[in-house]
Amino acid sequence: MKRVLLGISGGIAAYKSAELVRLLRTNNYDVRVVMTHAATQFITPLTLQALSGHAVHTQLLDANEENAMGHINLARWAELFLIAPASANCMAKLSLGIADDLLSTLYLAAECPVYIAPAMNQAMWSKPVTQENLNRLIHHQVSMIGPDAGSQACGEIGYGRMSEPSDIVAQLNALNAPQLLLNKKILISAGPTREALDPVRYITNRSSGKMGYALAQQAQLLGAEVTLISGPVQLAAPKNIHTLYVESAEEMYAAVMQQVSGQDIFISAAAVADYTPESVPTEKIKKQGTHTQLSLRKTQDIVASVASLMNKPFTVGFAAETHHLEQYALDKLQRKNLDMIAANWVGRAEGGFDSAYNALQVYWQNGQKTFTMTDKNQLASQLLTLIAERLNA
Ligand code: C5P
């Protein structure tokens, strides 16, 4: 758990700090909050105390607070110092080394990396003196997060909006993740496929694509160059990831085969249809009689085809099972010539298809590992760490 000191200065964007603290905690950061006097006019220390789970620091010269954790100790405690929002006044003080309150004093005392998310009116942001302060801070190795452009609390439009808390946390994650997959190319398939029965109907399955999308995002955080091949899902397009959309198993096969050369890793997280209609009429099938029959043929096995290539990437399959998890998973590992298989139960109350949570039992030649129930982002990061380990083994 990474220790982050969050400094909040006085600006209307301070109302977003509550969400920021909550997100930092769900992303596994231990958060301590320090506020300027002006910040306490916008959001109460009590709110941030409740969300961070720790007393909030506001005073430089307060005997009680210095007793609990003095400012030097607080600066030493921090592994990251994030200042969000950073007002124009706050940036000006930090850039000149003025230390006249707790937040600015902590900045001087901190030896950890410092990140600043500016927030101010667009005219204040573009003022030459603010830009000089900004350049001075960058020169002092402070990293900037934002600001974004858009509508502002004052009714104006332009640069100066604080980045959204989710973007701030995503950037912190990206900047602090160990680069275990740096320079690795990774291809990931995700989601279900749709097999057309006629122009209006199709066969599909309950896969949501969440696991594959989480793997793509986490792989990118670990430094990999990611290509995602996605079946039809209800998820937002992942940011800055090369994503190709397909519908049927046949299209997914073609896309994977087209992208696979030069990849270091292939993770087949998609729930590919095993069977597809023999033929697809161009006209809608009409209702007739009390029963009907479908004639299905087997689809090509994508992951097995990748694993049989001459220069095959490190190939990982998934096995979603309602029974005999270990036996079926081990059988697939051998039969499909995979380097690793991640097996999970489906059809149970918790986890699996369509859930944000899952647990995995992972097998490879002569080894296995259990990942207990957790959210799919966390799980994806654990699985990728194991893949990186096995890849280098
Ligand atoms: O044989 P089964 O479908 O249970 O195997 C699951 C694994 O095989 C998953 O990794 C899935 O993505 C992959 N698969 C595939 N092509 C298919 C069927 C499954 O790549 N046609």
Side-chain angles (χ1 to χ4, degrees):
M1 197 182 270
K2 212 137 196 168
R3 301 187 300 268
V4 53
L5 182 61
L6 173 65
I8 305 175
S9 69
I12 180 60
Y15 84 89
K16 293 185 183 173
S17 303
E19 176 68 357
L20 183 56
V21 172
R22 195 189 64 77
L23 280 177
L24 284 167
R25 290 202 61 188
T26 56
N27 277 262
N28 232 358
Y29 291 93
D30 186 5
V31 188
R32 302 283 162 107
V33 177
V34 46
M35 300 174 79
T36 64
H37 174 68
T40 64
Q41 312 278 307
F42 289 95
I43 183 165
T44 71
L46 193 62
T47 303
L48 298 160
Q49 176 177 317
L51 290 168
S52 69
H54 296 287
V56 169
H57 304 262
T58 54
Q59 308 280 335
L60 179 58
L61 303 172
D62 179 308
N64 284 337
E65 281 191 13
E66 284 289 301
N67 254 344
M69 198 194 276
H71 66 271
I72 295 292
N73 280 340
L74 203 49
R76 281 197 195 125
W77 172 87
E79 290 176 289
L80 295 176
F81 190 7
L82 168 66
I83 303 171
S87 64
N89 182 52
C90 174
M91 286 177 64
K93 286 202 308 190
L94 302 188
S95 77
L96 292 171
I98 295 172
D100 63 352
D101 62 8
L102 182 60
L103 195 156
S104 50
T105 305
L106 282 167
Y107 170 75
L108 275 194
E111 290 180 304
C112 63
V114 181
Y115 302 88
I116 284 189
M120 65 198 73
N121 160 276
Q122 53 88 21
M124 292 167 78
W125 173 253
S126 43
K127 195 57 103 189
V129 70
T130 304
Q131 292 299 308
E132 276 170 29
N133 295 337
L134 168 70
N135 288 332
R136 209 171 308 118
L137 285 168
I138 292 172
H139 180 68
H140 296 158
Q141 314 300 326
V142 173
S143 305
M144 293 294 148
I145 301 180
D148 292 350
S151 63
Q152 303 200 303
C154 50
E156 294 178 16
I157 294 177
Y159 270 96
R161 261 173 77 93
M162 186 172 91
S163 295
E164 290 306 321
S166 55
D167 290 334
I168 295 178
V169 175
Q171 282 214 42
L172 276 193
N173 285 344
L175 291 163
N176 291 287
Q179 300 289 283
L180 293 177
L181 294 174
L182 191 66
N183 300 326
K184 295 284 183 237
K185 288 185 74 177
I186 179 164
L187 180 64
I188 298 170
S189 72
T193 64
R194 265 183 199 167
E195 308 305 315
L197 287 168
D198 69 13
V200 293
R201 305 183 180 97
Y202 53 77
I203 307 175
T204 191
N205 58 64
R206 293 186 191 278
S207 167
S208 65
K210 284 176 191 153
M211 192 65 217
Y213 274 54
L215 283 163
Q217 250 144 18
Q218 298 299 318
Q220 192 188 41
L221 287 182
L222 297 177
E225 187 187 320
V226 184
T227 303
L228 176 64
I229 296 179
S230 173
V233 294
Q234 303 293 322
L235 303 171
K239 270 191 187 163
N240 305 322
I241 289 179
H242 178 219
T243 306
L244 301 167
Y245 294 94
V246 297
E247 221 173 272
S248 63
E250 193 178 340
E251 284 172 18
M252 189 170 275
Y253 176 87
V256 168
M257 287 308 179
Q258 203 224 340
Q259 296 292 325
V260 76
S261 95
Q263 298 286 344
D264 298 292
I265 301 165
F266 172 53
I267 307 182
S268 189
V272 187
D274 292 322
Y275 291 91
T276 192
E278 192 100 58
S279 61
V280 186
T282 51
E283 289 178 12
K284 185 182 166 192
I285 301 167
K286 299 308 289 177
K287 186 164 37 188
Q288 267 176 350
T290 55
H291 291 75
T292 189
Q293 280 194 326
L294 289 172
S295 179
L296 305 174
R297 68 177 157 79
K298 213 164 182 193
T299 56
Q300 270 174 296
D301 194 307
I302 304 171
V303 78
S305 307
V306 169
S308 68
L309 292 173
M310 276 276 274
N311 285 320
K312 72 160 183 159
F314 187 92
T315 307
V316 183
F318 269 76
E321 306 292 349
T322 54
H323 296 89
H324 312 299
L325 187 73
E326 175 165 1
Q327 182 192 331
Y328 286 148
L330 288 173
D331 170 63
K332 279 173 202 176
L333 182 73
Q334 303 306 337
R335 191 163 39 84
K336 302 192 185 205
N337 191 30
L338 307 178
D339 295 296
M340 187 181 276
I341 191 148
N344 66 286
W345 291 107
V346 283
R348 298 194 162 190
E350 215 183 335
F353 273 14
D354 208 20
S355 165
Y357 289 81
N358 209 356
L360 289 178
Q361 187 64 45
V362 186
Y363 302 93
W364 60 94
Q365 212 50 258
N366 308 321
Q368 59 170 291
K369 192 157 187 164
T370 306
F371 296 124
T372 54
M373 187 70 68
T374 183
D375 76 271
K376 286 183 175 173
N377 279 329
Q378 189 71 23
L379 200 58
S381 145
Q382 291 170 346
L383 181 61
L384 288 162
T385 304
L386 178 62
I387 291 173
E389 243 172 67
R390 298 306 313 156
L391 192 65
N392 297 324

